[in-house]
Every structure is written in structure tokens, then in C-alpha cells.
Amino acid sequence: MTNLIGFPEEKLKQLFADWGLPAYRVQQVLSWVYHHHARRFEEMTNLSKELRARLAKHFVIALPRIAAKTHSQDGSVKYLFELGNGSQVESVWMPDESRTTLCISSQVGCRLACSFCLTATLGLKNNLTAGDIIGQVLAVNDDLPEENQVTNVVMMGMGEPLDNYEEVCEALRLLVSPHAMRISNRKVTLSTAGLVDRIQQFAGEDIHVNLAISLNATEDATRDQIMPINKKYPIKNLMECLKKYPLKPTRRITFEYVLLKGINDSDEDAVRLGKLLSQVRCKINLIPFNGFEGSLYQPPSEERIKSFQNYLIQKKFSTFIRNNRGTDILGACGQLAAQAMTGSTTP
Ligand code: SAH
């Protein structure tokens, strides 16, 4: 049966029209599912019994199951989910003073093989459905009290979102729809390793969330080595495509730059990064490398990281050092997948 969660709003509208129902019924159903935590059709008390029965014949309401929760000392929580097909993915919930951000996954594993990322060691196991993707947000919201509900979503968990294009787009539409999840598109970010063709396609969608690019190197030789996707989409092509990206006037592209000691952290790298980014309205997030067992790299010293940042700030870039959340629970950038790999479920 079809999962109502992740089912496109447009298709639901069509179905209800075919059933001879007014449009506001669609909004009522979406509001129940995405806002009022309804997980059974009987709970939708403003719908007729007949309609509830009809819906129950066509749809199930299925969420990823929380298989484990791990709490970090910094307040963030890593969720391990089991999906309908038995595979597992992780999300990380991060509270801040004024917001709570959920980092969600788009694929089980990933096929891009970036050499610094733990998820890459899994290879691509499978693609999440739109229901699995937005279902992570709903399942976390079901698990948390009202004051901790998710306000911001970043697609920076396991997988390459643009490599699971259609399902990710459907999930994003529901996330920002004023009838479904109602999260402002300014509070949703899609991060990509730089699949140029897909970025161009995404620019043409009716989805105006923030775009983040994992650049991570300033020369092709280095980027080829740490991000093999660079051989297909080299830095020059990527930057050309981003210069043309139809950014709304108040928006900026975020560039993520994982700092790897001795690989991409020199003064020359900082200078090249400044030059590369000079023609794009952007901000920069520097992410000191997060280690894991068997990893090949080290983060630079505090001093090196600061000096890299200071150069960019001096060149007038908004440059942040991403304070890593959840490193103690392998919940920080690039650390997701450990549990999925071993299959262990730490309580
Ligand atoms: N595939 C997408 C989404 C994943 S986002 C992308 O590449 O953007 C995960 C972010 O964490 C990326 O910016 C990636 O460069 C970064 N990252 C991966 N492994 C890391 C590690 N070990 N330490 C710090 N950052 C890492």
C-alpha cells in the first residue's frame, strides 16, 4: 500500500478531486499528518467516517522506526532509524538557543567515495523514499516535546541528496509546503558534493531552499584525490554553474570546507579559496576534520584553523568554524554510518 507520508501534495489533490472532494480536505489531511502527529486515520476527527475508511483502504501512515537514540554531552541526539525495508539510517538533532536543527539522511550509504567520510565506506546500499526522508523529521517530532520540535532541517546526513533527486525533491516540497510541514524555505538547506548537472536541474525547480556546496579543496589535483566526483565535475565547471545559479537577492550559497591537516589547509589554499569564491555571494563554513576509526586524516591545529579563517574574514567573507556537535557519539559531519555498518543498537 502507498505511504501517505511523502505522498506528493499534487497527487493527493488530484486523487481527492477524482473522489469529488473539496480542496480543503487535502489541507485537513496534511495538517493532521504533518502538524498534529496523527498516525492513524481514526484520529482525523474532522473527516467523515466514510472518508477515513476510504483513506485507510488506499494508504498506510508509516514512519521510520527509532531503533536507538544516543545522547551527546553537548545536548545533541543521534537517532538510528530502521526503514521499512530493514535498512538503517541516522539523523542528528541539535538544539541551539533559538532553534533546533535536524540533520537528515537521503541515502543508505553513498556512492561518491569521498576519502574523508565514514558514510562513504558503506558504498551505496539504497535510496530513501520521500516518506523515509521527511519521515525522519516527523519521527523526531513525535519523540520530542512541543518546545523541542524541529525548526530547521539540513540535508547533510548520510548520502548525496542530488543522487536521489526525485525523492529528495518530493520530500523538500512537503517540508516547505504551507499545507504540510510549513518550515520556511530559508530554514532548510540541501548540501551537495557538487553534481553540476543536477544543480542546474535543481535551479529550475519550484523549491527555493538554501544550497550548500562541499568544496573541500581549491585545486583539482587535491579535490580529485579526496572527492573522486571532481573528475567528472571539476572545480571550474562547478564554479561556473554556481555563478549562474539563480540566487534570490537576500540569499547566499554556503561553501563547506573540511579542513584536513597538510592536505588543504595551507595559506595558499586560503588565498585560492578567496579567489574562487570572490564572484559568488556566499558564506563559508570551515569544518575541522572529524576522525573515526581507520581514518587517514587529522584536523589541523587550532592555530592553523584560526589563521585560515582570519585570512578569509580579512577578505570580507563571512567565515565560520562549524563547532562540531556530537563528536562524542560519532554524530558530527562525516561520522554517520557507524551503527548502520555494525548493526549495533546502542541504547
Ligand atoms: N553528500 C552531501 C551531503 C553530506 S553533507 C555533501 O557532500 O554535501 C556532509 C558534510 O560533512 C559535507 O560537507 C562533507 O564534506 C563533510 N564531511 C564529511 N566527512 C567529514 C569528516 N570526517 N569530518 C568533517 N566533515 C566531514
Side-chain angles (χ1 to χ4, degrees), residues 72-122:
S72 163
Q73 286 186 351
D74 65 23
S76 52
V77 180
K78 182 165 76 170
Y79 285 85
L80 175 70
F81 288 110
E82 191 173 294
L83 308 176
N85 63 7
S87 55
Q88 295 183 323
V89 288
E90 292 173 325
S91 309
V92 184
W93 177 83
M94 296 164 282
D96 247 314
E97 272 153 35
S98 58
R99 61 183 185 195
T100 60
T101 304
L102 189 68
C103 174
I104 60 174
S105 296
S106 56
Q107 296 181 311
V108 182
C110 183
R111 62 171 165 176
L112 298 192
C114 300
S115 63
F116 48 82
C117 177
L118 182 58
T119 306
T121 59
L122 289 170

Side-chain angles (χ1 to χ4, degrees), residues 106 110 112 114 116-118 155-161 190-194 212-216 227 256-260 287-292 322 324 332-335:
S106 56
C110 183
L112 298 192
C114 300
F116 48 82
C117 177
L118 182 58
M155 273 207 172
M156 296 186 183
M158 293 164 67
E160 165 52 47
L190 179 143
S191 178
T192 174
I213 305 290
S214 300
L215 189 61
N216 298 343
M227 299 179 74
E256 293 156 282
Y257 194 94
V258 181
L259 283 164
L260 307 168
I287 318 175
F289 173 70
N290 295 306
F292 46 86
R322 263 258 286 274
N324 275 311
C333 301
Q335 293 186 319

Side-chain angles (χ1 to χ4, degrees), residues 86-219:
S87 55
Q88 295 183 323
V89 288
E90 292 173 325
S91 309
V92 184
W93 177 83
M94 296 164 282
D96 247 314
E97 272 153 35
S98 58
R99 61 183 185 195
T100 60
T101 304
L102 189 68
C103 174
I104 60 174
S105 296
S106 56
Q107 296 181 311
V108 182
C110 183
R111 62 171 165 176
L112 298 192
C114 300
S115 63
F116 48 82
C117 177
L118 182 58
T119 306
T121 59
L122 289 170
L124 178 62
K125 302 272 192 233
N126 53 63
N127 279 320
L128 268 60
T129 63
D132 293 331
I133 297 168
I134 198 166
Q136 295 166 66
V137 186
L138 293 178
V140 167
N141 275 346
D142 283 0
D143 187 56
L144 294 173
E146 201 51 41
E147 66 274 18
N148 286 342
Q149 298 287 292
V150 173
T151 62
N152 295 52
V153 174
V154 293
M155 273 207 172
M156 296 186 183
M158 293 164 67
E160 165 52 47
L162 296 184
D163 191 32
N164 182 14
Y165 191 84
E166 299 300 336
E167 299 297 320
V168 163
C169 286
E170 288 305 349
L172 288 173
R173 285 197 182 92
L174 287 163
L175 266 179
V176 303
S177 162
H179 305 128
M181 203 78 222
R182 301 180 205 162
I183 299 183
S184 155
N185 55 22
R186 311 183 149 272
K187 296 184 174 181
V188 178
T189 302
L190 179 143
S191 178
T192 174
L195 278 59
V196 171
D197 299 342
R198 292 300 199 181
I199 295 172
Q200 283 164 344
Q201 189 180 352
F202 193 65
E205 302 284 351
D206 54 343
I207 304 170
H208 305 290
V209 300
N210 299 309
L211 184 66
I213 305 290
S214 300
L215 189 61
N216 298 343
T218 58
E219 290 181 307

